[in-house]
């Protein structure tokens, strides 16, 4: 007998068997990630609410889609949530607003907390937020546009008024710099 | 090299890019991918009150709990018995002379003795169906069936196989003709004819395991419909055990084809009790005493002592 039925593989097996209490456990453990990510990307509480319901309903209806050989349950949920959220943003009128308004880009390299929007204040205490804030402003903005506002790679380039190749470089450089800044801290959050 | 988890994380973080350009994920450094996964974490925030309940309500509306999605239901007891009889007959047909004398479980019982025992078991069950049963304990099962097959002492293995098939057919016919509501005394319990068919199917499967193990063959695999029937019957029987139901609620989550969820004694409103998660075939093998309790792997959520009590009584239905 093994005490402990809450590992990813057992939880997915429970979902497959039809144990609805397992879904409640998965929500308790990952609902913050799903809801928070959906809200961050869509910037809309109602949409985030709907997306969260859709993501967990999808997990309940098709738990066989989770391939734990490819990643953790949390990573799977993050991937699905982000994809769903980006789809929603792109469908909405908000997309046009985002494309029409090219954000200002600071010329100076280095930390510039004013560019990070007010909602990000809450994250700032974490190392991740600090790492993001420490990015050169043009890199930080590229990450924000691509990841949290759901813009495509080409839309990032258009929004920032830069060549597509430059947008791609900024994204890669930003992620590389975050890695360098945060190092092993990310192992804790990505498991 | 990048790990699969990191690759997925990178795909999540770079989803926005993905529509325009297929990224060569394999060339992205692992550390970079881990960083990408971290981006999702900084967005985490507590969901609003009520969202958890709404999620659960919508989910179970879309897919009723209790069974795998698109999962198979149990077949009828008569179908289960008939299919298992056919499979055992095919197995017996494939046995060599040496196989018939192979030792079962390292004892002095041979495969032939097992089949003779089954002849007796079918005859006893048929007799009880037709003439009402006697109250006998499960421990009396081997001796009782031995007495029913004295005529096979000197029979050839072919004659034994034929006798078993005839006895099985007689039992199936008697069960099919009996009043469905008839409560037949059956080794300390009172079973309806349908439940007797389930019990008989269980025993045939258990002895197929004995024979295949003794003769070096692959273990028999029942189709999901039969596993669903047998496990469901087992769970119903478990709920009737006095020493088990006297405890707090227990949920069995049986995984694998033919599995499902069974609340053995209802659910407590406060969530107390235990959830036992295990492979449906392994649980049934343990119940048939064809898998030692210490080799049964289950995961327990909740009260481990309560789960242990239920697991201890799991094999109490096996006849031998």
């Amino acid at each position: 007998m093994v005490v402990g039925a809450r590992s990813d593989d057992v939880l997915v097996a429970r979902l497959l068997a039809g144990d609805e209490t397992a879904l409640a456990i998965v929500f308790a453990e990952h609902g913050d990630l799903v809801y928070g990510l959906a809200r961050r990307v869509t910037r809309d509480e109602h949409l985030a609410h709907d997306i969260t319901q859709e993501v967990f309903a999808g997990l309940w209806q098709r738990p066989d889609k989770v391939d734990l050989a490819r990643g953790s349950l949390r990573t799977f949920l993050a991937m699905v949530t982000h994809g769903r959220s980006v789809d929603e943003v792109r469908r909405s009128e908000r997309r046009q607003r985002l494309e029409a308004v090219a954000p200002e880009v600071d010329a100076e390299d280095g930390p510039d907390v004013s560019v990070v929007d007010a909602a990000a204040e809450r994250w700032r205490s974490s190392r991740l937020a600090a790492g993001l804030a420490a990015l050169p402003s043009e890199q930080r903005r590229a990450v924000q546009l691509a990841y949290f506002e759901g813009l495509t790679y080409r839309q990032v380039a258009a929004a920032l008024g830069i060549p597509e190749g430059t947008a791609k470089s900024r994204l890669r450089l930003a992620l590389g710099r975050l890695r360098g800044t945060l190092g092993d801290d990310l192992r804790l959050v990505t498991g | 090299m990048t790990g699969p988890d990191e690759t997925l994380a990178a795909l999540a973080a770079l989803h926005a890019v993905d529509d325009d350009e297929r990224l060569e994920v394999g060339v992205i450094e692992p550390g970079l991918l881990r960083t990408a996964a971290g981006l999702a974490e900084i967005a985490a925030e507590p969901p609003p009150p009520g969202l958890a309940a709404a999620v659960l309500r919508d989910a179970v509306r879309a897919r009723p709990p209790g069974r795998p999605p698109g999962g198979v239901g149990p077949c009828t007891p008569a179908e289960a018995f008939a299919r298992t009889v056919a499979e055992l007959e095919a197995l017996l047909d494939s046995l060599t002379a040496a196989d018939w004398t192979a030792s079962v479980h390292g004892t002095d019982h041979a495969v032939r003795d097992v089949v003779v025992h089954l002849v007796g078991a079918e005859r006893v069950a048929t007799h009880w169906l037709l003439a009402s049963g006697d109250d006998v304990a499960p421990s009396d099962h081997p001796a009782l069936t031995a007495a029913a097959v004295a005529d096979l002492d000197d029979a050839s293995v072919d004659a034994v196989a034929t006798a078993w098939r005839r006895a099985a057919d007689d039992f199936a016919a008697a069960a099919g003709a009996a009043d469905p509501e008839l409560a037949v005394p059956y080794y300390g319990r009172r079973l309806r004819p349908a439940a007797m068919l389930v019990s008989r199917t269980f025993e045939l499967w258990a002895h197929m395991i004995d024979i295949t193990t003794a003769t070096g063959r692959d273990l028999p695999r029942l189709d999901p419909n039969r596993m669903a029937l047998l496990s469901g019957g087992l769970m119903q029987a478990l709920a009737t055990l006095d020493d088990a139901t006297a405890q707090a609620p227990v949920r069995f989550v049986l995984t694998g084809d033919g599995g499902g969820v069974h609340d053995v004694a209802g659910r407590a409103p406060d969530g107390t009790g235990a959830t036992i998660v295990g492979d449906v075939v392994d649980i049934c093998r343990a119940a048939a005493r064809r898998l030692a309790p210490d080799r049964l792997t289950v995961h327990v959520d909740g009260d481990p002592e309560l789960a242990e009590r239920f697991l201890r009584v799991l094999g109490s239905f096996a006849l031998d």
Side-chain angles (χ1 to χ4, degrees), chain B residues 7-26:
Chain B
T7 301
L8 271 186
L11 287 174
L14 300 174
H15 188 277
V17 185
D18 198 40
D19 277 3
D20 290 341
E21 181 182 338
R22 287 287 161 200
L23 293 176
E24 297 292 331
V25 173

Side-chain angles (χ1 to χ4, degrees), chain B residues 1-268:
Chain B
M1 290 290 290
T2 60
D5 194 62
E6 292 166 334
T7 301
L8 271 186
L11 287 174
L14 300 174
H15 188 277
V17 185
D18 198 40
D19 277 3
D20 290 341
E21 181 182 338
R22 287 287 161 200
L23 293 176
E24 297 292 331
V25 173
V27 304
I28 298 177
E29 297 172 54
L32 195 65
L33 300 171
R34 192 174 295 118
T35 302
L39 286 174
E41 297 293 340
I42 60 177
E45 65 175 280
L51 183 53
V55 161
L56 289 177
R57 188 180 58 242
D58 280 11
V60 298
R61 195 178 291 152
R63 173 197 161 201
R67 195 176 283 181
V72 296
C75 57
T76 67
E79 286 172 341
F81 185 75
R83 285 183 213 165
T84 311
V85 165
E87 289 175 0
L88 178 53
E89 184 175 40
L91 173 61
L92 297 183
D93 284 347
S94 74
L95 297 180
T96 65
D99 288 335
W100 279 96
T101 62
S103 171
V104 176
H105 298 314
T107 67
D108 56 357
H109 292 293
V111 168
R112 181 187 183 280
D113 299 321
V114 170
V115 183
V116 168
H117 162 73
L118 285 174
V119 178
E122 310 302 355
R123 287 179 179 175
V124 168
T126 304
H127 171 72
W128 286 346
L129 261 173
L130 297 176
S132 188
D134 311 311
D135 275 320
V136 296
S139 57
D140 295 332
H141 177 63
L144 194 67
T145 59
V149 291
D151 58 313
L152 293 174
D153 278 353
D154 300 319
S156 67
V157 292
D158 286 345
V160 169
T162 300
W164 166 73
R165 177 64 204 233
R166 185 176 302 126
D169 288 345
D170 289 346
F171 169 70
D179 178 354
E181 298 302 316
L182 184 67
V184 182
Y186 191 79
Y187 299 109
R189 294 185 289 158
R190 287 188 175 273
L191 300 185
R192 308 265 185 243
M196 288 181 72
L197 282 162
V198 175
S199 179
R200 296 298 317 134
T201 303
F202 224 120
E203 190 179 356
L204 291 184
W205 176 60
H207 288 305
M208 286 171 71
I209 293 173
D210 296 341
I211 295 169
T212 52
T213 302
T215 59
R217 288 167 166 78
D218 292 337
L219 290 177
R221 293 177 62 85
L222 300 188
D223 53 72
N225 307 90
R226 276 181 290 172
M227 284 315 307
L229 179 74
L230 294 191
S231 58
L234 170 65
M235 293 296 127
Q236 285 180 357
L238 204 55
T240 66
L241 284 178
D242 289 342
D243 55 347
T245 54
Q247 310 301 332
V250 165
R251 165 172 283 202
F252 274 85
V253 179
L254 305 181
T255 63
D257 290 341
V261 178
H262 302 269
D263 289 325
V264 173
R267 302 291 291 174

Side-chain angles (χ1 to χ4, degrees), chain A residues 104-124:
Chain A
E104 291 181 9
V105 178
D106 289 351
E108 286 185 20
D109 204 36
D112 183 355
V113 294
S114 66
V115 177
V116 181
D117 74 24
E121 286 294 331
R122 192 178 44 76
W123 327 332
R124 206 174 304 283

Side-chain angles (χ1 to χ4, degrees), chain A residues 2 4 6 15-16 18-19 36 39 53 60 70-72 74 82 90 128 146-147 151-152 154 168 175-176 179 189, chain B residues 4-5 12-13 16 19-21 29 32 34-35 37 41-43 45 58-59 63 66 68-69 251 298-301:
Chain A
V2 178
R6 299 191 175 195
L15 293 173
L16 278 166
D19 179 11
R39 200 169 85 85
Q53 285 186 264
W60 172 248
R70 300 181 64 204
S72 68
R74 191 168 179 85
H82 189 259
R90 290 177 186 173
L128 273 166
Y147 194 62
L151 267 61
T152 69
R154 291 198 173 106
K168 177 181 175 182
L175 292 172
R179 175 207 51 192
V189 296
Chain B
D5 194 62
D19 277 3
D20 290 341
E21 181 182 338
E29 297 172 54
L32 195 65
R34 192 174 295 118
T35 302
E41 297 293 340
I42 60 177
E45 65 175 280
D58 280 11
R63 173 197 161 201
R251 165 172 283 202
V298 295
H299 298 269
V300 174
D301 205 359

Side-chain angles (χ1 to χ4, degrees), chain B residues 276-302:
Chain B
I276 301 170
V277 185
D279 178 76
V280 63
V281 176
D282 285 350
I283 293 280
C284 287
R285 283 179 63 199
R289 292 204 289 257
R290 265 58 182 183
L291 184 66
D294 60 349
R295 296 189 61 191
L296 174 65
T297 299
V298 295
H299 298 269
V300 174
D301 205 359

